Amino acid sequence: MTTSPGRRSSTFTRLLRHGFTDPSAAEQLLDLDALASVRSDPVLLEALGATADPDLALRGLVRVVEAGEESERQVLLDTLVTAKPLRDRLLGVLGASEALGDHLARHPRDWRALVTYESADLHPGVAEFEQGLADAVDPDSLRVAYRRCLLTLAARDVCGTTGLAQTAAELADLATATLRAALAIARTAAPEDAAQCRLAVVAMGKCGGRELNYVSDVDVIFVGEAHDGVDETKAMQAATRLAAHMMRICSETTVEGTIWEVDANLRPEGRNGPLVRTLSSHLAYYQRWAKTWEFQALLKARAVAGDPELGAEYVEAVSPLVWGAADRENFVPDVQKMRRRVVDNIPADRIERELKLGPGGLRDVEFAVQLLQLVHGRSDASLHSGSTLEALRALADGGYVGRADAAQLDEAYRFLRAMEHRIQLHRLRRTHLVPEDEADLRRIGRSLGMRTDPVAELNKAWKRHASVVRRLHEKIFYRPLLDAVAQLAPGESRLSPKAAAIRLEALGYADPAAALRHLEALSSGVTRKAAIQRTLLPVLLGWFADSADPDAGLLGFRKVSDALGKTPWYLRLLRDEGAAAENLARVLSAGRLAPDLLMRAPEAVAILGDPEGLRPRTREHLEQEVLAAVGRAGDAESAVAVVRGVRRRELFRTTAADLIGSYGTEDSPAEQDHGALVDRVGSAVTDLNAATIAGALRAAVRERWGDTLPTRFAVIGMGRFGGHELSYGSDADVLFVHRPREGVSDEEAGRAANAVVGEMRRLLQLPTADPPLLIDADLRPEGRTGPMVRTLKSYEAYYRRWSLVWESQALLRAEHMAGEEELGRAFVELVDPLRYPMEGLGEDAVREIRRLKARMESERMPRGADPTLHAKLGRGGLSDVEWTVQLMQMRHGWAEPGLRTTRTREALAAACAAGLIPAEDAQTLDEAWVLAARVRNAVMLVRGRPGDTFPSDARELAAVGRYLGYEPGHVGDMLDDYRRITRRARAVVEERFYGAAG
């Protein structure tokens, strides 16, 4: 076939028009002698052009023709051009599956399996497949027969003769017939084993549900019993040998390749359990030890091979256990755990191509359907189906899922499964990854009927269906709950109140009746507010159920909505700001503190929709706002009321940022640097309290003296306040210092300073809706018996003559916080020699500090408290770490500038950098300190009041666990981890503080 230079042949052009991507290579193939009799027949090109990959189909056809005997070739080619059913089937398979093309090249006579087109061929069942495998007597012949059956099945699939559900069911039936043939081969090879036992093979997973893929592990469970008169132990050994041999027959690779893996890991105890158990042994395990996911797996159990009576007994015996799983004690935390998508093990570069496990993938649909079956199947036998699509239809018919949602999920699931089938069919490999190669995407798209721009059309359809699944797979749990309390059109199915309560209970709601009342109040009516909330609630309910206290989240949302529901900006915020609704759900359901702060001024919810809203304000910004508010107020009490309102708003901002950072959101993972979280909270609360005290000071002065107090006045932060390490429930430890102005007597200055201190404390503790700020001055010289406020000279005289070592240690945290900055600096300069003594502490002072610490451990621990779980005073807790760091500061601060800081973590890092403590020990202390600080924060967030120990209430303890990053049902792990981390820290303290080191 020659053409003049520079011109393309008419064949080349026709090949391009028929979808060939390499027309030159196709021309060469058509010129081969093997195709001489058909190359000019127009039906051949038309048929090739109709395939998923015309180039692949033509290459496969040439290989099949060339592999056949001379007499066979012409029969094949003649039939190909005269019989449309064969032409469509054979070329359709060759254009979709390189692996089946390889099979036909090895077994060229197998094309004849595609010739017949009887009605029985359209919908074969297990019996027809068994007949197709009947001649198999060894693993190789079984593989050849299996591929021959698969060839006819794939032909019907790619030609559109069977739909997705029918194809998946046929693949499962073929697997059933194959398991039976493999077991027969194993029994023939070991007749003495077969004579000793009864063995049943129960299919699980997709095979059990009759929805199998082209290439998938076939999940099974083996049940065995001894024949009469046979010792049970020997019978189980025989059954195990038969089962293992059957698995090898299917799984091992021979010259004819492999069939698929037979996976028995869903059996009791998984890989660690015996391969075969008796029925009674199975039941004993399920009744005592099985987890919720195991009952979920048993949803699809179906006896497929071996002893049919034993298999039926097994399925009948486990069925009540499956449908009673929702009544089990740990069902709710298990469900919460299972509902959280597991993508941690998927590499980041593959997650977007994951058709099964990625966001919006097949697993999302299957899991949602199975969970609803478990919840409602105990009272509705119509849901007892192993097929995802059949179960989804039954859920819609029963009103458990909205019909429109079910229809969309059905369409998306069918499309994603069809994609999965086409991907696997190409090389008959087990994969769920969408390929990146454009030729592969083009073949898949064309196989699904996309011909104009297959790659673009495929990607668009895939993303659209995955988006539908992402949007609906959670919502289908919750939307029917709204229908249960809504007015529906006549004839519409809905959840009964009882079914709605069952579902809410299964999702973690402790008071389903109250939850339904809240849903009715939020979603009823024809107002714009009710319409927007009906749209939002299915998503919000999912976020609430993902928390430790869904009831509190829903109640909180109702309260906020009642307060702000008529405010246009609030509804717009929730509707348009995707992050705002999720952030609100996290904040409302994580504990009491943040919702309490929000309820006092619900308009603060606007913070949650602003991208910068969760970022803490600087102290300068806060002081500017506070002092401006004081300047505008008419009197001190109204001024400080505004100041405390600012503090409440900023406390909400800090708690919200902390909770959202700790929990993470769908678009932003949880913060992994827990130290950074603690530091942000400590700095934010410290800056906020400093600004609040500055505002109260200005208000107290203005009320009585105008702009100028007769004495210069400063507030020195001490303890956690000075260390920028405040938790939500901490008091503000302070010292007050003043210096009389020129011309003012010491007596007048002292009276003014004391009056200001008294007024500040009164104003900050007035009973209002806002949380009080308690000021604690007990660290002053002479403690509670000493004067509340002193002059700088008085402090100097006291510290020079009377100061004790514990006071020097307390001054390590001293930092100016409010009032006159110059006076604050002068105080800090005064105490520097005390806290960082030249040449360090003497041995007597070191012994005194150690004695004080030991005394505190024995006397200050609350009676009955567990010392291994007390975050402040317990083993390896805050006090242990802080005293160890402070001892290093006092011994070496004079020589190491980095140690001259009020912050524990900074000082510890500086000590490590200076070689004063090994890096491993420093890391151990830092980890324990951060964990103990987070526990204190968590307790305050969850309970709404401060505490140093883990809560005893189970729900509160679970909420603390969620804040700390533990999945539902893992509070035991949390307590074990806390004890382990703090035990290691205490060992370092014993060496570095009480021992000779340092």
Side-chain angles (χ1 to χ4, degrees):
M1 195 179 293
T2 60
T3 58
S4 59
R7 297 191 60 186
R8 289 177 172 171
S9 70
S10 59
T11 304
F12 186 99
T13 306
R14 287 206 319 276
L15 290 168
L16 272 178
R17 195 168 62 247
H18 282 96
F20 285 83
T21 57
D22 190 353
S24 298
E27 268 191 298
Q28 294 174 9
L29 290 173
L30 287 169
D31 279 343
L32 293 173
D33 292 340
L35 299 184
S37 63
V38 296
R39 73 165 64 99
S40 59
D41 196 314
V43 300
L44 177 62
L45 269 189
E46 289 290 339
L48 286 168
T51 66
D53 187 340
D55 302 84
L56 179 63
L58 179 56
R59 288 197 303 272
L61 177 62
V62 169
R63 292 179 64 206
V64 175
V65 172
E66 290 182 338
E69 297 176 2
E70 190 68 37
S71 58
E72 187 75 10
R73 292 182 187 178
Q74 201 54 49
V75 176
L76 168 58
L77 293 174
D78 289 345
T79 312
L80 188 70
V81 295
T82 58
K84 186 177 186 323
L86 170 72
R87 188 165 61 246
D88 291 345
R89 287 177 163 198
L90 178 59
L91 296 183
V93 167
L94 291 174
S97 178
E98 189 177 322
L100 289 176
D102 292 342
H103 172 81
L104 283 167
R106 284 198 308 275
H107 304 281
R109 291 184 60 84
D110 278 3
W111 67 268
R112 291 178 177 273
L114 302 176
V115 174
T116 54
Y117 206 76
E118 303 299 329
S119 58
D121 297 320
L122 295 181
H123 301 293
V126 176
E128 287 76 19
F129 287 126
E130 282 190 292
Q131 187 177 350
L133 303 177
D135 295 333
V137 294
D138 56 39
D140 280 338
S141 59
L142 181 61
R143 279 154 177 68
V144 174
Y146 173 83
R147 290 290 171 94
R148 189 183 306 120
C149 291
L150 189 65
L151 182 67
T152 63
L153 192 158
R156 290 189 298 276
D157 179 18
V158 298
C159 291
T161 308
T162 55
L164 180 280
Q166 179 64 29
T167 299
E170 288 182 14
L171 285 164
D173 288 345
L174 175 55
T176 296
T178 306
L179 290 170
R180 292 178 182 179
L183 183 56
I185 294 171
R187 291 168 68 91
T188 300
E192 64 286 355
D193 283 344
Q196 294 187 67
C197 63
R198 300 166 65 199
L199 177 64
V201 183
V202 178
M204 306 284 282
K206 283 188 164 56
C207 184
R210 294 190 74 232
E211 51 186 14
L212 198 59
N213 301 329
Y214 274 100
V215 187
S216 175
D217 290 355
V218 171
D219 296 310
V220 299
I221 283 178
F222 295 105
V223 190
E225 295 290 348
H227 273 307
D228 291 342
V230 178
D231 176 72
E232 185 178 286
T233 302
K234 291 183 177 179
M236 288 303 99
Q237 291 170 347
T240 300
R241 288 191 293 269
L242 287 174
H245 189 190
M246 187 206 83
M247 292 173 69
R248 290 196 303 274
I249 290 170
C250 297
S251 305
E252 286 181 349
T253 301
T254 73
V255 291
E256 289 293 344
T258 185
I259 302 177
W260 19 246
E261 289 286 329
V262 177
D263 189 341
N265 289 333
L266 291 177
R267 66 186 184 270
E269 300 180 75
R271 294 181 181 179
N272 298 321
L275 184 62
V276 183
R277 287 176 184 256
T278 62
L279 178 57
S280 61
S281 175
H282 276 284
L283 293 178
Y285 172 84
Y286 289 130
Q287 288 164 349
R288 187 170 184 185
W289 304 110
K291 297 180 173 60
T292 300
W293 70 263
E294 293 178 275
F295 295 112
Q296 184 183 8
L298 285 168
L299 273 173
K300 296 181 179 291
R302 181 171 63 93
V304 293
D307 190 307
E309 291 182 4
L310 180 58
E313 286 178 41
Y314 172 87
V315 173
E316 185 180 353
V318 300
S319 181
L321 300 176
V322 171
W323 302 114
D327 296 322
R328 291 166 58 86
E329 181 181 351
N330 293 318
F331 183 74
V332 170
D334 284 349
V335 165
Q336 287 181 311
K337 206 163 23 178
M338 289 154 58
R339 279 180 53 252
R340 204 159 290 109
R341 188 184 293 108
V342 182
V343 295
D344 294 347
N345 296 326
I346 306 175
D349 61 334
R350 294 173 55 178
I351 193 167
E352 291 302 320
R353 296 190 293 124
E354 253 287 348
L355 204 58
K356 179 178 180 180
L357 300 176
L362 293 163
R363 177 61 58 83
D364 282 348
V365 182
E366 292 161 358
F367 175 79
V369 169
Q370 290 164 21
L371 184 53
L372 288 175
Q373 286 180 276
L374 282 179
V375 171
H376 297 292
R378 52 181 164 174
S379 58
D380 188 344
S382 71
L383 303 181
H384 296 188
S385 171
S387 161
T388 300
L389 291 173
E390 287 180 9
L392 183 57
R393 192 179 313 116
L395 287 165
D397 290 343
Y400 303 106
V401 173
R403 288 192 184 278
D405 290 347
Q408 284 187 288
L409 275 182
D410 182 285
E411 181 187 2
Y413 186 73
R414 288 176 188 273
F415 178 84
L416 295 174
R417 283 296 305 273
M419 264 188 83
E420 181 183 45
H421 278 189
R422 296 298 189 268
I423 291 168
Q424 294 183 348
L425 182 59
H426 182 220
R427 291 194 172 92
L428 289 181
R429 290 180 183 166
R430 180 175 178 267
T431 178
H432 309 286
L433 280 183
V434 177
E436 295 177 293
D437 183 74
E438 188 160 325
D440 289 330
L441 294 172
R442 181 175 182 272
R443 184 190 64 257
I444 297 166
R446 283 175 60 90
S447 76
L448 295 173
M450 302 167 184
R451 297 301 168 99
T452 306
D453 187 352
V455 175
E457 291 176 55
L458 176 68
N459 280 323
K460 183 178 179 181
W462 170 34
K463 298 301 180 189
R464 176 171 60 84
H465 286 297
S467 175
V468 166
V469 173
R470 263 200 309 273
R471 182 168 50 84
L472 289 181
H473 98 278
E474 285 281 342
K475 196 159 64 171
I476 65 168
F477 289 100
Y478 308 107
R479 186 181 279 175
L481 294 168
L482 302 187
D483 293 342
V485 296
Q487 296 295 320
L488 297 185
E492 282 285 312
S493 298
R494 71 158 86 208
L495 281 182
S496 67
K498 181 180 178 182
I502 287 172
R503 184 175 303 188
L504 283 164
E505 197 173 330
L507 292 166
Y509 288 83
D511 189 348
L516 282 172
R517 288 196 299 273
H518 298 325
L519 290 178
E520 184 172 14
L522 287 162
S523 62
S524 59
V526 293
T527 63
R528 178 170 173 268
K529 169 188 171 184
I532 290 175
Q533 289 178 164
R534 278 196 295 272
T535 302
L536 279 172
L537 275 166
V539 184
L540 288 170
L541 285 168
W543 288 325
F544 294 149
D546 193 37
S547 73
D549 196 348
D551 301 80
L554 181 56
L555 173 61
F557 180 68
R558 181 178 176 184
K559 288 180 177 178
V560 172
S561 190
D562 287 347
L564 297 177
K566 295 181 180 178
T567 314
W569 65 262
Y570 167 70
L571 295 173
R572 192 166 57 247
L573 174 80
L574 294 184
R575 185 192 64 201
D576 299 337
E577 300 288 345
E582 184 177 5
N583 290 344
L584 178 62
R586 299 297 182 203
V587 167
L588 290 175
S589 56
R592 295 180 184 173
L593 179 61
D596 285 351
L597 293 168
L598 180 59
M599 294 310 166
R600 288 166 184 159
E603 64 275 6
V605 77
I607 289 171
L608 302 176
D610 181 355
E612 295 296 311
L614 297 176
R615 193 183 302 276
R617 305 286 183 89
T618 63
R619 187 186 303 187
E620 292 73 22
H621 185 108
L622 291 169
E623 282 194 7
Q624 188 177 10
E625 180 182 5
V626 160
L627 296 180
V630 171
R632 291 191 298 268
D635 56 52
E637 289 193 5
S638 58
V640 172
V642 175
V643 171
R644 288 173 64 179
V646 171
R647 179 170 180 265
R648 182 242 315 122
R649 182 197 70 205
E650 295 305 315
L651 271 176
F652 173 71
R653 188 193 309 275
T654 305
T655 57
D658 188 17
L659 289 167
I660 293 163
S662 297
Y663 272 70
T665 64
E666 290 187 355
D667 296 326
S668 177
E671 171 69 68
Q672 296 303 306
D673 185 351
H674 296 159
L677 280 172
V678 169
D679 290 344
R680 280 200 291 272
V681 170
S683 295
V685 178
T686 297
D687 289 345
L688 177 54
N689 285 355
T692 303
I693 289 172
L697 174 58
R698 175 70 63 87
V701 171
R702 283 184 75 246
E703 180 81 355
R704 183 167 172 185
W705 293 280
D707 292 333
T708 306
L709 188 67
T711 185
R712 291 177 169 82
F713 187 90
V715 181
I716 307 299
M718 298 288 284
R720 298 190 182 286
F721 188 27
H724 297 255
E725 295 163 358
L726 287 177
S727 60
Y728 296 114
S730 300
D731 297 346
D733 290 318
V734 298
L735 298 178
F736 299 110
V737 58
H738 77 105
R739 183 161 57 190
R741 296 184 185 276
E742 290 184 18
V744 178
S745 68
D746 288 350
E747 291 78 8
E748 182 184 354
R751 284 195 300 273
N754 276 290
V756 163
V757 169
E759 181 66 357
M760 284 172 59
R761 299 182 77 183
R762 183 186 75 83
L763 291 170
L764 290 173
Q765 295 178 50
L766 282 173
T768 70
D770 297 313
L773 174 57
L774 301 178
I775 293 178
D776 187 340
D778 288 352
L779 291 176
R780 64 188 183 270
E782 301 178 75
R784 294 181 180 179
T785 61
M788 183 66 70
V789 58
R790 289 174 182 260
T791 64
L792 188 64
K793 286 184 178 179
S794 175
Y795 276 108
E796 183 180 10
Y798 175 85
Y799 287 136
R800 184 177 62 249
R801 187 171 183 184
W802 304 109
S803 176
L804 300 174
V805 67
W806 73 264
E807 292 176 299
S808 298
Q809 183 182 354
L811 289 168
L812 285 167
R813 305 287 207 129
E815 182 175 303
H816 173 254
M817 287 293 170
E820 187 168 301
E821 192 170 341
E822 183 184 343
L823 179 59
R825 279 201 306 270
F827 181 88
V828 170
E829 290 171 3
L830 168 68
V831 302
D832 271 350
L834 289 170
R835 55 185 180 176
Y836 311 123
M838 189 62 65
E839 303 299 330
L841 285 179
E843 286 305 312
D844 288 347
V846 171
R847 278 195 295 273
E848 176 64 10
I849 288 176
R850 288 171 175 162
R851 187 188 65 80
L852 287 170
K853 175 73 169 71
R855 178 181 165 190
M856 185 181 74
E857 288 178 11
S858 63
E859 294 180 2
R860 292 185 58 189
M861 178 71 68
R863 181 177 297 177
D866 183 347
T868 67
L869 293 175
H870 198 280
K872 183 177 180 181
L873 301 173
R875 179 193 68 188
L878 296 171
S879 177
D880 268 1
V881 176
E882 288 163 3
W883 280 62
T884 302
V885 171
Q886 289 163 12
L887 182 58
M888 286 190 287
Q889 287 181 279
M890 295 182 75
R891 298 183 79 174
H892 304 284
W894 66 277
E896 292 293 341
L899 291 173
R900 297 171 207 160
T901 174
T902 62
R903 306 181 189 218
T904 301
R905 297 188 72 214
E906 275 188 16
L908 182 57
C912 181
L916 300 175
I917 183 172
E920 185 179 352
D921 286 356
Q923 171 63 29
T924 298
L925 293 180
D926 186 73
E927 183 183 15
W929 188 90
V930 167
L931 178 57
R934 292 199 79 215
V935 168
R936 295 184 90 206
N937 284 344
V939 170
M940 183 67 183
L941 285 167
V942 169
R943 304 181 69 190
R945 61 182 187 273
D948 294 314
T949 59
F950 289 89
S952 56
D953 177 80
R955 179 158 281 202
E956 290 178 347
L957 187 61
V960 169
R962 291 301 309 280
Y963 173 83
L964 295 178
Y966 290 86
E967 298 293 331
H970 285 268
V971 293
D973 294 339
M974 171 181 68
L975 299 178
D976 288 346
D977 287 347
Y978 183 87
R979 288 187 171 104
R980 174 178 53 80
I981 290 167
T982 53
R983 183 175 64 246
R984 289 171 50 212
R986 178 64 185 197
V988 174
V989 171
E990 292 286 352
E991 180 182 359
R992 298 280 151 193
F993 182 82
Y994 287 113

